């Protein structure tokens, strides 16, 4: 990423962060008129959190994991609560605005006591609602990841591949709040499914190999008849993609970089291809998705499965005769109502879809990013079974 793009990105992030914190302070602290010393302490807390949030994200790259992890648990939890408070305050302010407009049109004189009472009632409702949503979201993210069975039909699937099982893991995001214990459990539960193939569709990590490499070591214990395959996500490029690719290969994981392999089962064949995340072009020479390269020279009579981190390349995949695309990236939105906005950037948000002659399955993610919370969008270990169309 160029210095200019990085500066613009940081400016936008800092401006949005500061603006949201000011809005929360204005509605939940200033307008409520907390008595001293609560007003002072709450104001200091909001300012401190506004400063520490971007600072904490930078510190995770500079300080040891054992130092930054407790800090990021606090900051990411606040990020989730902040989002819920912000989302609830918007309709609350709309209601207050309409009521105020009605009073103004009706000629009602200003009543400071009534205004303060309404501010406190709305602030109390928003505070309790935000805490409730954050608590449930935290519980949903911390409980064991569900295994989601999915049946997918493929045209001309060879008879020996009927019932072929793929376990898809995606968007695990090992980092400040997800560590080795999570990977240990994930490996054990994946192996218990006895899949024919394991596909990891990007965003495995949030940090460099030096800090997080030992956390993903249990991936070497993953077992599947046809192996374990990985494609890069955008977060690998934020974390040093080349080093991670080398590390995963040392664990026995096959990294597909705009490549294709043939899977053979009792004399019958299907093809599996994987492409880099498009983000790679901006971070590392020689990286970035190249579907034509991955599919060059393939036998069009063979069914073709494509691993691609982002769903938005589905049109090109369908044009190239892909039968099934497995993707992630979206987390299904992770936190309601954010899932309603993801569709503005990605054509498919979650689940199984059909695009012309191609199926595309988008995982809601196996881990989470940022806030250790999921609301309305559970994580999944996707257990895919192929059958003929």
């Amino acid at each position: 990423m160029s210095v200019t793009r990085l500066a613009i990105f940081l400016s936008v992030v800092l401006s949005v962060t500061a603006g949201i914190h000011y809005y929360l302070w204005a509605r939940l602290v200033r307008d409520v008129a907390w008595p001293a010393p609560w007003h002072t302490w709450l104001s200091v807390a909001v300012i401190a959190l506004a400063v520490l949030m971007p600072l904490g994200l930078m510190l995770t790259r500079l300080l040891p994991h054992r130092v930054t992890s407790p800090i990021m648990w606090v900051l990411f939890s606040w990020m989730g609560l902040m989002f819920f408070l912000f989302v609830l305050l918007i309709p609350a302010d709309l209601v207050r605005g309409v009521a105020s407009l009605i009073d103004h049109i009706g000629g009602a004189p200003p009543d400071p006591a009534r205004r303060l009472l309404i501010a406190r009632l709305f602030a109390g409702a928003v505070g309790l609602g935000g805490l409730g949503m954050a608590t449930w979201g935290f519980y949903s993210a911390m409980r064991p990841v569900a295994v989601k069975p999915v049946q997918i039909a493929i045209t001309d699937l060879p008879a020996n591949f009927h019932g072929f099982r793929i376990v898809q893991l995606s968007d695990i995001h090992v980092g400040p709040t997800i560590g080795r214990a999570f990977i240990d459990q994930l490996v054990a539960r994946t192996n218990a499914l006895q899949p024919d193939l394991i596909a990891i569709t990007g965003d495995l990590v949030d940090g460099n190999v030096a800090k997080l490499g030992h956390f993903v070591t249990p991936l070497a214990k993953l077992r599947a008849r046809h192996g374990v395959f990985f494609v890069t996500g955008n977060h690998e490029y934020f974390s040093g993609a080349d080093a991670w690719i080398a590390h995963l290969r040392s664990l026995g994981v096959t990294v597909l970089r705009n490549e294709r392999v043939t899977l053979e089962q009792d004399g019958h064949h299907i093809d599996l291809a994987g492409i880099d995340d498009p983000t790679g072009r901006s971070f590392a020479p020689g990286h970035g998705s190249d579907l034509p390269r991955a599919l060059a020279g393939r036998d069009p009579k063979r069914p073709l499965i494509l691993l691609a981190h982002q769903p938005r390349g589905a049109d090109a995949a369908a044009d190239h005769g892909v039968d099934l695309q497995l993707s992630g990236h979206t987390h299904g939105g992770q936190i309601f109502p954010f899932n309603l906005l993801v569709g503005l950037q990605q054509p498919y948000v979650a689940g199984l879809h059909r695009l012309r002659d191609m199926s595309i399955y988008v995982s809601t993610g196996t881990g989470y990013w940022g806030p250790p919370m999921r609301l309305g969008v559970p994580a999944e270990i996707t257990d895919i079974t192929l059958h003929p169309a």
Side-chain angles (χ1 to χ4, degrees):
M1 183 181 289
S2 68
V3 175
T4 302
R5 288 178 63 187
L6 179 61
I8 293 172
F9 173 76
L10 290 176
S11 297
V12 171
V13 169
L14 292 174
S15 298
V16 171
T17 301
I20 291 176
H21 279 83
Y22 175 79
Y23 179 54
L24 295 182
W25 172 81
R27 291 293 178 264
L28 301 180
V29 179
R30 183 195 65 187
D31 292 357
V32 174
W34 287 87
W38 286 103
H39 185 280
T40 301
W41 283 112
L42 288 171
S43 298
V44 169
V46 172
I47 293 171
L49 288 166
V51 172
L52 285 174
M53 186 171 291
L55 182 61
L57 292 173
M58 289 186 283
L59 289 177
T60 57
R61 296 183 175 272
L62 302 175
L63 298 177
H65 182 272
R66 66 180 182 277
V67 175
T68 58
S69 182
I71 297 172
M72 295 314 298
W73 269 103
V74 173
L75 292 180
F76 277 139
S77 296
W78 165 246
M79 182 187 291
L81 176 58
M82 177 186 75
F83 175 76
F84 292 130
L85 293 174
F86 178 73
V87 166
L88 292 175
L89 273 173
I90 292 174
D93 269 358
L94 288 174
V95 172
R96 288 176 62 183
V98 170
S100 224
L101 181 62
I102 292 172
D103 285 347
H104 178 73
I105 293 174
D111 185 346
R114 180 173 176 269
R115 184 179 300 167
L116 178 60
L117 175 62
I118 291 174
R120 287 178 171 176
L121 287 174
F122 274 94
V126 167
L128 289 174
L131 283 170
M133 294 170 75
T135 300
W136 182 255
F138 183 83
Y139 165 75
S140 297
M142 293 300 105
R143 63 186 175 184
V145 181
V147 174
K148 182 177 180 180
V150 178
Q151 300 283 328
I152 299 180
I154 291 185
T155 303
D156 297 327
L157 184 71
N160 287 18
F161 281 90
H162 293 186
F164 189 85
R165 292 177 63 203
I166 302 171
V167 168
Q168 181 189 6
L169 309 174
S170 193
D171 302 277
I172 299 170
H173 290 285
V174 173
T177 61
I178 293 179
R180 180 161 180 153
F182 184 86
I183 298 298
D184 279 329
Q185 295 174 14
L186 193 59
V187 167
R189 298 187 66 204
T190 299
N191 285 341
L193 295 172
Q194 299 182 322
D196 294 297
L197 184 144
I198 298 169
I200 306 173
T201 49
D203 280 8
L204 171 65
V205 293
D206 276 316
N208 59 41
V209 172
K211 290 184 179 180
L212 303 178
H214 63 290
F215 288 161
V216 305
T217 300
L219 295 180
K221 299 178 182 178
L222 284 171
R223 295 291 179 265
R225 178 178 179 180
H226 291 276
V228 183
F229 295 86
F230 174 85
V231 291
T232 55
N234 53 306
H235 281 251
E236 272 70 56
Y237 290 104
F238 304 154
S239 306
D242 284 324
W244 275 113
I245 289 167
H247 186 64
L248 289 172
R249 285 174 173 162
S250 75
L251 299 177
V253 176
T254 300
V255 181
L256 295 176
R257 296 203 51 238
N258 302 316
E259 297 171 280
R260 185 185 77 259
V261 296
T262 296
L263 308 177
E264 188 272 334
Q265 200 153 281
D266 301 324
H268 292 79
H269 304 83
I270 64 173
D271 284 342
L272 175 73
I275 55 175
D276 290 349
D277 188 78
T279 308
R281 294 191 185 92
S282 302
F283 283 84
H287 286 262
S289 59
D290 189 341
L291 185 60
R293 174 185 165 189
L295 304 186
R298 83 174 189 92
D299 183 350
K301 295 179 181 178
R302 291 179 184 169
L304 173 63
I305 300 170
L306 175 68
L307 308 183
H309 178 63
Q310 298 194 39
R312 65 181 178 178
D315 272 316
D319 289 342
H320 281 80
V322 172
D323 293 282
L324 169 63
Q325 177 175 320
L326 300 180
S327 297
H329 183 65
T330 66
H331 298 212
Q334 186 170 319
I335 297 176
F336 176 85
F338 193 72
N339 53 312
L340 303 179
L341 302 177
V342 176
L344 300 176
Q345 199 264 343
Q346 294 289 336
Y348 306 102
V349 177
L352 184 62
H353 303 269
R354 191 75 180 171
L355 176 62
R356 300 194 291 280
D357 295 327
M358 184 184 79
S359 295
I360 175 169
Y361 185 82
V362 183
S363 168
T364 58
T366 311
Y368 55 81
W369 182 85
M373 300 172 188
R374 278 185 170 270
L375 188 66
V377 187
E380 65 182 64
I381 298 169
T382 319
D383 184 9
I384 298 168
T385 302
L386 304 183
H387 60 85

